[in-house]
Amino acid sequence: MTDKFKKTILFDLDGVLNIYDGKYDKSYIPPIKNGAYELIKELSQDYKIVIFTTRNSLIASKWIVENGLDKYVENVTNIKEPAYLIIDDRCINFNGDYKELRNKIKNFKVWYKKLDNNNLL
């Protein structure tokens, strides 16, 4: 499939592609999660991969290069640009039911807060 016709998948960096536990340090991006490289490589064959982060774009770009993802990632942005899919650790899928959405919001927990420290990797 040519890049011209690829749909975009927008990936959040912290908590999705790296080992993030909620302890933010603006000058340090945690290591890549097991399996993230392989997933991005595979998906880049059929999708345009864009990384979304509120981090400094130079630091994020350096992390992407250091982890060998630069061959597969088209862009790094702090704007949630139009995309076919958004992959994020802090989102809820809306299914049309506001009552269910309200309950999901009230009971939301980031995935890494559901795990004990032995299962973070």
Side-chain angles (χ1 to χ4, degrees), residues 91-104:
C91 63
I92 294 172
N93 187 40
F94 178 62
N95 68 0
D97 182 333
Y98 289 112
K99 185 175 181 178
E100 184 178 332
L101 178 61
R102 186 179 303 108
N103 290 333
K104 286 180 179 180

Side-chain angles (χ1 to χ4, degrees), residues 25-105:
D25 177 343
K26 70 178 185 176
S27 62
Y28 171 75
I29 299 178
I32 193 167
K33 283 183 66 65
N34 290 334
Y37 174 88
E38 293 80 7
L39 177 67
I40 295 297
K41 179 180 177 182
E42 177 185 337
L43 290 175
S44 72
Q45 300 303 307
D46 298 312
Y47 299 93
K48 176 182 159 186
I49 306 298
V50 176
I51 305 299
F52 171 79
T53 184
T54 58
R55 289 183 178 273
N56 175 288
S57 62
L58 292 176
I59 293 172
S61 295
K62 182 180 176 191
W63 184 92
I64 288 166
V65 169
E66 288 172 348
N67 287 284
L69 296 174
D70 53 307
K71 298 172 275 205
Y72 312 112
V73 171
E74 176 127 349
N75 192 23
V76 178
T77 182
N78 65 352
I79 299 168
K80 285 196 176 178
E81 57 187 50
Y84 175 65
L85 290 172
I86 298 173
I87 313 299
D88 196 326
D89 61 320
R90 290 185 178 263
C91 63
I92 294 172
N93 187 40
F94 178 62
N95 68 0
D97 182 333
Y98 289 112
K99 185 175 181 178
E100 184 178 332
L101 178 61
R102 186 179 303 108
N103 290 333
K104 286 180 179 180
I105 291 168

